[in-house]
Amino acid sequence: MDTATGKIGNVVYKSKIGWELVIPLIVVLGGCTGVMLYEGAWPGLLIMLVTMAFVAHLFFTTYYVVDGDNLFVRCGFSKQTVAISSIRKISDDSNWVSSPALSLDRLELFFTGYNSVVVSPKDKKSFILHLLQINNNIELKLSKTSIT
């Protein structure tokens, strides 16, 4: 914490990685790659390798950074910035819809109007408490996540 300003500095929260997403990816990508190898389908194998590299890239570059009054959401080549002061509500979410989250154990952050972003920080409790330290007006609608 910066004692001069009272603000907590730049903190990185890694995304939780859920087996419910990893296992199907391994089965599908691994199975297709095995078939391509067995059949000698080299163009298909190349496509599978590129796809696996992209998926690996997503897994290594999905994280969330709280810096000052901003939340930076990073997933692969995608970057989103949310002003923490604009966050109205945090709720649990386990929707399969694509999002910058590597687990189905997710949080949906609602901000400015009807905009929202879904994240899956590994340490949800610390993440939520950090956001609340910056914006204590955030409404919590949590049924699966305990912050006490």
Side-chain angles (χ1 to χ4, degrees):
M1 177 179 284
D2 182 346
T3 54
T5 63
K7 290 189 176 183
I8 296 174
N10 182 349
V11 178
V12 177
Y13 294 90
K14 294 182 181 206
S15 179
K16 179 177 182 179
I17 297 175
W19 289 107
E20 69 278 1
L21 296 178
V22 172
I23 290 173
L25 279 171
I26 290 171
V27 169
V28 171
L29 294 176
C32 290
T33 301
V35 169
M36 298 295 167
L37 272 171
Y38 180 77
E39 295 291 328
W42 307 121
L45 180 61
L46 179 63
I47 290 170
M48 292 310 302
L49 292 175
V50 169
T51 302
M52 287 191 289
F54 177 71
V55 170
H57 172 72
L58 290 178
F59 274 78
F60 287 111
T61 60
T62 299
Y63 56 89
Y64 321 105
V65 178
V66 175
D67 187 12
D69 184 44
N70 290 308
L71 170 64
F72 300 97
V73 178
R74 174 80 192 269
C75 180
F77 302 108
S78 171
K79 296 177 187 173
Q80 182 176 6
T81 303
V82 176
I84 295 170
S85 60
S86 73
I87 298 174
R88 301 180 286 105
K89 178 172 70 171
I90 299 175
S91 67
D92 290 313
D93 183 84
S94 58
N95 195 329
W96 279 82
V97 174
S98 178
S99 66
L102 302 176
S103 170
L104 292 181
D105 184 17
R106 302 170 170 190
L107 298 171
E108 186 167 10
L109 311 177
F110 297 88
F111 58 96
T112 56
Y114 295 103
N115 293 321
S116 70
V117 64
V118 177
V119 297
S120 63
K122 188 183 285 188
D123 185 357
K124 288 172 36 173
K125 180 180 177 180
S126 293
F127 180 78
I128 292 168
L129 289 173
H130 193 165
L131 296 179
L132 286 171
Q133 283 181 322
I134 298 166
N135 177 1
N136 62 2
N137 294 318
I138 297 173
E139 177 186 1
L140 299 179
K141 294 281 188 175
L142 307 171
S143 58
K144 297 184 294 184
T145 305
S146 173
I147 61 164
T148 57

